Amino acid sequence: MNKFFSLKFAEDNLTFIEQTALPLSEQYITTDNYERIAEAIEKLEIRGAPAIGIAAAFGIALSFKNHNGKDDEYFYNVSNRLRRTRPTAVNLFWALQQMEETYKNLSSNDNIYSRLKEKAIAIHNEDIKKCDLIAKNGISIFERNSRVVTHCNTGKLATGGGGTALNVIKHAFHKGLIEHVFVDETRPLLQGARLTTFELAKESIPFYLITDSTAAFLMQQNKIDVAITGADRIATNGDSANKIGTYNLAVICKYHKIPFYIAAPTTTIDFNAKSGKDIPIEERDKTEINRIKDIKVTKSVYPVYNPSFDIIPNELITGIITEDKLYNFPYNFNV
């Protein structure tokens, strides 16, 4: 099986797979430049909430690779640059906060780069462990050989480890609990069509790629048993932000009495957000809607509304799978 990775830190460089080129071309980019890492996050060359946080942590560390001594102004300039890349994925801000706390505890006599690098590697290794635990805790949602629908990409490409929701699916498949996976294409950037299909093919897991609007028709035909997605931010009441179109999926699951689960590490929980109303929603450029790659599909002068995420109300979520355990509705993550 052809192995791949989303992020790898080696020889004082970060190497990442260029996700916008997938699945037609498997390219890797190597850099030690934090600005290049910031651009990669903005351009979705690096995407997925946990992967964004890990990349940002390495960006902070690498910014001191050739910068001697402790320099507060420089540190916060770098941190703020990375902070501006994506507003919704809370893992980004969690990772930057972890790096800031590490930096604050360093003295001018410390090897700043070495210590920051050590912390970034620890954040990456922690995510690998969390991905494995999420997969283990998620097995219990499958009572029999099931047909699953998923949205966007939640696998190895989205994390530092094996993935969140897609990792649950992969582990369940290898235990004989998954019959088939239906993959929402995930408009407008087609993360399902480009990325989830890529990962499932690598694992030899049977799947059908479908348009986002096909899921309801499949449910009407009793061809879907369970839905599972990831999340980019979870409020303390369980309201969750995920890729646009996830709310649609949750609503039709509720109507057809199909369980809808979210899988995400606890770092995705925003303890400052009491509900979905407190979660900022990123709006992206209109060219993501009026073009596919470089091909125009409508007139560029037409106005476009392009939110990258939507909010899934807690009552639509059957359970939230974390590395700690499977939480069931009602949720209260302040406890």
Side-chain angles (χ1 to χ4, degrees), residues 48-308:
I52 289 170
I54 294 163
F58 281 119
I60 290 284
L62 286 168
S63 71
F64 279 86
K65 179 178 175 180
N66 298 307
H67 192 90
N68 296 324
K70 197 169 183 182
D71 185 337
D72 292 357
E73 182 179 4
Y74 176 72
F75 177 90
Y76 287 106
N77 283 340
V78 173
S79 180
N80 288 334
R81 170 67 184 100
L82 290 160
R83 189 177 294 271
R84 292 194 301 270
T85 54
R86 302 291 302 275
T88 301
V90 74
N91 305 67
L92 168 66
F93 306 100
W94 174 85
L96 290 173
Q97 181 63 34
Q98 294 288 305
M99 297 302 289
E100 180 179 343
E101 289 175 5
T102 299
Y103 175 79
K104 284 180 176 178
N105 290 326
L106 299 178
S107 73
S108 56
N109 295 322
D110 286 316
N111 185 322
I112 307 299
Y113 171 59
S114 179
R115 296 289 298 278
L116 291 175
K117 178 175 68 172
E118 183 180 88
K119 181 60 178 179
I121 291 171
I123 289 172
H124 191 181
N125 289 336
E126 182 182 357
D127 188 67
I128 293 170
K129 293 177 183 176
K130 286 179 178 178
C131 287
D132 290 340
L133 290 170
I134 287 169
K136 180 181 177 181
N137 292 336
I139 288 292
S140 64
I141 72 172
F142 301 102
E143 298 178 354
R144 55 187 172 85
N145 202 12
S146 301
R147 298 157 299 177
V148 183
V149 64
T150 190
H151 191 75
C152 197
N153 173 260
T154 57
K156 188 182 292 187
L157 293 168
T159 66
T164 56
L166 197 58
N167 205 26
V168 173
I169 290 171
K170 287 186 289 186
H171 277 64
F173 173 77
H174 292 301
K175 289 183 177 292
L177 294 170
I178 298 288
E179 176 184 319
H180 212 89
V181 182
F182 292 100
V183 181
D184 281 353
E185 62 176 350
T186 317
R187 283 282 292 149
L189 294 180
L190 305 174
Q191 291 96 329
R194 295 185 301 102
L195 308 179
T196 300
T197 55
F198 172 80
E199 293 204 43
L200 290 172
K202 291 279 190 181
E203 294 280 341
S204 299
I205 297 174
F207 66 88
Y208 280 115
L209 173 63
I210 61 173
T211 64
D212 296 353
S213 53
T214 299
F217 185 51
L218 288 167
M219 292 178 189
Q220 189 182 54
Q221 299 175 79
N222 297 314
K223 291 183 177 179
I224 291 177
D225 301 305
V226 62
I228 179 170
T229 75
D232 285 76
R233 191 181 296 221
I234 301 172
T236 55
N237 73 339
D239 291 352
S240 300
N242 196 50
K243 187 58 58 187
I244 192 74
T246 308
Y247 175 51
N248 301 43
L249 187 62
V251 168
I252 58 176
C253 281
K254 188 75 170 181
Y255 179 82
H256 290 94
K257 297 180 174 58
I258 292 169
F260 173 88
Y261 291 93
I262 279 176
T266 51
T267 51
T268 305
I269 302 169
D270 181 356
F271 289 94
N272 294 315
K274 295 180 180 179
S275 73
K277 294 179 181 179
D278 299 322
I279 298 176
I281 298 298
E282 176 185 4
E283 290 186 35
R284 294 184 62 83
D285 192 84
K286 68 179 184 179
T287 57
E288 294 181 349
I289 299 284
N290 60 30
R291 291 172 177 262
I292 296 180
K293 293 291 186 179
D294 295 324
I295 301 172
K296 286 186 178 181
V297 295
T298 191
K299 291 185 177 181
S300 58
V301 295
Y302 290 167
V304 170
Y305 175 51
N306 184 21
S308 191

Side-chain angles (χ1 to χ4, degrees), residues 14-87:
L14 180 67
T15 299
F16 58 89
I17 195 167
E18 211 281 67
Q19 296 196 34
T20 64
L22 292 172
L24 303 179
S25 176
E26 197 170 327
Q27 304 171 19
Y28 289 89
I29 294 170
T30 298
T31 185
D32 63 357
N33 186 305
Y34 80 88
E35 178 62 33
R36 181 65 184 91
I37 293 171
E39 290 174 358
I41 295 171
E42 288 171 335
K43 294 176 180 178
L44 306 185
E45 295 170 335
I46 300 171
R47 48 145 299 284
I52 289 170
I54 294 163
F58 281 119
I60 290 284
L62 286 168
S63 71
F64 279 86
K65 179 178 175 180
N66 298 307
H67 192 90
N68 296 324
K70 197 169 183 182
D71 185 337
D72 292 357
E73 182 179 4
Y74 176 72
F75 177 90
Y76 287 106
N77 283 340
V78 173
S79 180
N80 288 334
R81 170 67 184 100
L82 290 160
R83 189 177 294 271
R84 292 194 301 270
T85 54
R86 302 291 302 275

